């Protein structure tokens, strides 16, 4: 196999691997759906339209609708931008704070 064919074969393998996806565990689906519901409620309480929110975070209206419905395919940066819009980015950034990872810290010390 010539080098060009080898590179094409590797690229094809990588693309095939990217297309394989695992099913989303039910607890994860529920958490994403709850986050979508919570974002929708926060938006409505602030009297922000979906169109205005889309404009403010640089997303399309359909992305906002999918995010609020709990679509797991919405890119994380749009979720983070929405959280930032509602003033909760610090809480989001501390979700996996390593200083609070008791199990991880315990395992390091063993």
């Amino acid at each position: 196999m010539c080098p060009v064919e080898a590179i094409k074969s590797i690229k094809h393998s990588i693309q095939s691997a990217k297309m394989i996806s695992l099913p989303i565990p039910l607890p994860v689906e529920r958490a994403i759906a709850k986050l979508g519901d919570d974002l929708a409620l926060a938006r409505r309480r602030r009297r922000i339209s979906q169109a205005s929110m889309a404009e403010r975070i640089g997303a399309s209206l359909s992305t906002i609708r999918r995010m609020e419905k709990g679509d797991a395919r919405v890119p994380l940066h749009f979720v983070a931008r929405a959280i930032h819009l509602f003033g909760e980015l610090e809480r989001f950034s501390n979700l996996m704070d390593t200083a609070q990872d008791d199990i991880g810290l315990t395992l390091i010390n063993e």
Side-chain angles (χ1 to χ4, degrees), residues 17-90:
K18 285 182 181 178
M19 293 191 315
I20 298 171
S21 64
L22 297 173
I24 299 173
L26 188 57
V28 174
E29 273 188 26
R30 287 180 181 151
I32 294 170
K34 182 184 180 314
L35 178 59
D37 288 341
D38 292 345
L39 288 170
L41 182 58
R43 178 186 56 75
R44 288 192 308 271
R45 284 180 174 167
R46 288 163 177 78
R47 294 183 175 93
I48 299 172
S49 70
Q50 287 181 327
S52 177
M53 182 170 165
E55 185 177 321
R56 291 180 190 192
I57 70 169
S60 67
L61 183 56
S62 66
T63 297
I64 300 303
R65 289 180 178 144
R66 289 186 305 113
M67 180 171 47
E68 291 184 355
K69 288 181 181 177
D71 186 336
R73 296 169 299 168
V74 172
L76 183 60
H77 70 94
F78 287 127
V79 176
R81 288 175 183 200
I83 290 169
H84 176 42
L85 177 66
F86 300 133
E88 298 293 342
L89 192 59
E90 185 174 345

Side-chain angles (χ1 to χ4, degrees), residues 104-110:
L105 293 171
T106 300
L107 292 171
I108 285 175
N109 293 327
E110 287 183 358

